[in-house]
C-alpha cells in the first residue's frame, strides 16, 4: 500500500504547477486591468513599460516551473502543421502526404505538410518589428527498443520528468530572406520543412552511429538561474493567497476567473 501511495503521489506532481499557474491567472488579469485604468491619463510609453513588466512577471512564473521544478525549458512557437506529429496517427500522416503529392510538393516522412495561413499572418503583422525569425526543430527522446519513433510526451509526462532528453535545432533566418507574398512564402515554408525532414531522417536513420540521435552544429546547454524566476513566483503566489483570505477577495477572484474566461473565449471567437 505504501508503494502504491508513493507512485500515486509522484504521478500527481504536475498538480502543483498547474494549480499555481492557473490560480495566479486571475491575479495577473486583475493587476493588468487596474494598471490600465490608472494609466489612462499617462503617456503611452509609461503604460507600455509597466505592461511589459507585468507580462514578464507572469512568464517568469511559468519559467520557474519549467526550469527549476521540471528541469525542462519552454519555448513558444508557431506550428505550421496545425497539429503535433504523432507516428501512431497513420491516417493523419497519410492525408498530409497525399495533400503534398496533389499539390506537386515533395512528400515528407517525419513532419507534416505545413500550412501557410498562420505563418503568413504572423509574419505580415510583425515584419516591421522583426529582424529575423527562428526555425526550430524539436525531437523528444529517440526510438524505442523496437526501433520505432516514440510519441511526443504530454504536458503531464513533462512535469513528471518522463522525458529526460530533448534535442533542439535552431536556424536563424534574416527577415530579408523570407518572401512577403503569400504564394511565394508557401513554397519557402515547404522548403524549410524539407530541410527539417532531412535533419530528422539523418537523426533517426543515419547509417553512421556517430551522426545518429544528434543534430549537426555546436551543442549548447542553457538554463535560467533560480533568482530570475523565483521572485515572480513569490509575488504572484503571495498576491493570490492574500486575495483568498478575505470574502471580498474570493468573490473578486472567482468572478474574474469565471467571466474573464468567458470573455476571453468570446474575444478569440470574434477575432477568428
Amino acid at each position: 500500500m505504501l508503494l502504491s501511495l508513493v507512485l500515486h503521489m509522484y504521478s500527481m506532481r504536475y498538480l502543483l504547477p498547474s494549480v499555481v499557474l492557473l490560480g495566479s491567472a486571475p491575479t495577473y488579469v486583475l493587476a493588468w486591468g487596474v494598471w490600465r485604468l490608472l494609466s489612462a491619463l499617462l503617456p503611452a510609453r509609461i503604460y507600455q513599460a509597466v505592461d511589459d513588466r507585468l507580462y514578464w512577471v507572469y512568464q517568469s512564473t511559468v519559467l520557474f516551473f519549467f526550469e527549476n521544478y521540471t528541469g525542462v525549458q519552454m519555448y513558444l512557437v508557431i506550428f505550421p502543421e496545425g497539429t503535433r506529429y504523432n507516428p501512431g496517427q497513420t491516417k493523419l500522416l497519410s492525408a498530409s502526404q497525399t495533400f503534398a503529392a496533389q499539390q506537386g510538393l515533395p512528400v515528407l516522412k517525419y513532419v507534416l505538410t505545413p500550412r501557410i495561413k498562420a505563418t503568413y499572418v504572423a509574419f505580415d503583422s510583425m515584419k516591421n518589428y522583426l529582424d529575423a525569425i527562428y526555425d526550430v526543430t524539436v525531437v523528444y527522446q529517440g526510438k524505442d527498443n523496437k526501433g520505432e519513433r516514440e510519441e511526443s510526451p504530454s504536458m503531464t509526462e513533462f512535469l513528471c520528468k518522463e522525458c529526460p532528453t530533448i534535442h533542439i535545432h535552431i536556424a536563424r533566418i534574416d527577415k530579408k530572406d523570407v518572401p512577403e507574398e503569400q504564394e511565394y512564402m508557401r513554397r519557402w515554408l515547404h522548403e524549410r520543412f524539407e530541410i527539417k525532414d532531412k535533419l530528422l531522417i539523418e537523426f533517426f536513420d543515419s547509417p553512421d552511429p556517430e551522426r545518429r540521435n544528434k543534430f549537426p552544429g555546436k551543442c549548447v546547454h542553457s538554463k535560467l538561474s533560480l533568482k530570475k524566476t523565483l521572485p515572480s513566483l513569490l509575488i504572484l503566489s503571495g498576491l493570490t493567497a492574500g486575495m483568498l483570505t478575505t470574502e471580498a477577495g474570493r468573490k473578486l477572484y472567482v468572478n474574474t476567473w469565471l467571466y474573464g474566461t468567458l470573455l476571453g473565449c468570446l474575444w478569440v471567437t470574434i477575432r477568428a
Side-chain angles (χ1 to χ4, degrees):
M1 179 176 290
L2 180 59
L3 179 59
S4 298
L5 178 61
V6 171
L7 291 175
H8 282 300
M9 290 296 293
Y10 182 80
S11 66
M12 294 178 65
R13 291 178 70 250
Y14 70 92
L15 287 177
L16 175 60
S18 299
V19 168
V20 173
L21 293 178
L22 290 175
S24 59
T27 306
Y28 167 75
V29 172
L30 284 170
W32 174 82
V34 170
W35 169 243
R36 192 172 183 90
L37 290 174
L38 294 176
S39 62
L41 301 178
L42 296 177
R45 58 184 179 83
I46 297 179
Y47 162 76
Q48 192 63 51
V50 178
D51 182 67
D52 290 342
R53 189 63 181 179
L54 286 173
Y55 183 74
W56 180 88
V57 166
Y58 189 76
Q59 290 302 313
S60 295
T61 305
V62 176
L63 288 174
F64 170 83
F65 286 106
F66 277 91
E67 290 288 341
N68 304 293
Y69 186 82
T70 69
V72 178
Q73 292 183 339
M74 185 191 71
Y75 296 84
L76 178 63
V77 300
I78 293 176
F79 290 90
E81 312 98 303
T83 186
R84 299 172 72 185
Y85 178 99
N86 188 332
Q89 296 180 349
T90 55
K91 290 184 178 180
L92 178 63
L93 180 58
S94 177
S96 175
Q97 294 174 338
T98 300
F99 175 79
Q102 292 174 345
Q103 297 295 315
L105 301 170
V107 175
L108 306 174
K109 178 181 180 182
Y110 279 122
V111 291
L112 301 176
T113 303
R115 305 175 184 181
I116 186 59
K117 186 174 182 180
T119 303
Y120 172 75
V121 171
F123 183 79
D124 187 60
S125 301
M126 302 175 63
K127 61 185 178 183
N128 294 329
Y129 307 96
L130 302 175
D131 57 0
I133 63 175
Y134 291 85
D135 181 359
V136 183
T137 305
V138 182
V139 176
Y140 307 92
Q141 300 281 359
K143 290 187 175 180
D144 58 21
N145 295 331
K146 297 181 181 180
E148 300 294 332
R149 181 180 177 182
E150 294 183 340
E151 294 185 10
S152 301
S154 65
M155 183 62 69
T156 301
E157 291 169 333
F158 262 128
L159 296 173
C160 291
K161 295 186 178 181
E162 295 181 14
C163 180
T165 305
I166 302 176
H167 302 266
I168 302 174
H169 182 272
I170 303 176
R172 186 182 187 276
I173 305 168
D174 287 335
K175 183 177 69 173
K176 62 181 178 61
D177 296 327
V178 182
E180 295 190 12
E181 295 295 329
Q182 184 170 339
E183 194 55 39
Y184 291 112
M185 185 182 287
R186 183 192 305 276
R187 179 64 220 182
W188 170 84
L189 183 62
H190 196 86
E191 289 175 352
R192 294 305 312 178
F193 271 71
E194 290 175 47
I195 296 173
K196 288 178 181 289
D197 205 42
K198 292 177 181 178
L199 282 172
L200 294 173
I201 290 174
E202 187 76 5
F203 185 94
F204 289 114
D205 304 327
S206 175
D208 184 357
E210 295 297 322
R211 301 172 64 180
R212 202 180 306 143
N213 294 326
K214 62 178 64 175
F215 282 131
K218 182 181 178 181
C219 180
V220 178
H221 180 266
S222 177
K223 184 178 181 180
L224 289 174
S225 63
L226 185 63
K227 66 180 181 180
K228 289 184 177 180
T229 56
L230 182 59
S232 296
L233 171 70
L234 296 177
I235 290 172
L236 276 179
S237 299
L239 290 174
T240 302
M243 287 182 60
L244 296 178
T245 56
T246 64
E247 183 178 355
R250 288 192 292 272
K251 288 182 179 179
L252 180 60
Y253 178 87
V254 171
N255 288 332
T256 302
W257 197 346
L258 177 60
Y259 295 111
T261 301
L262 295 175
L263 290 174
C265 292
L266 178 62
W267 174 251
V268 170
T269 302
I270 293 174
R271 291 298 295 263

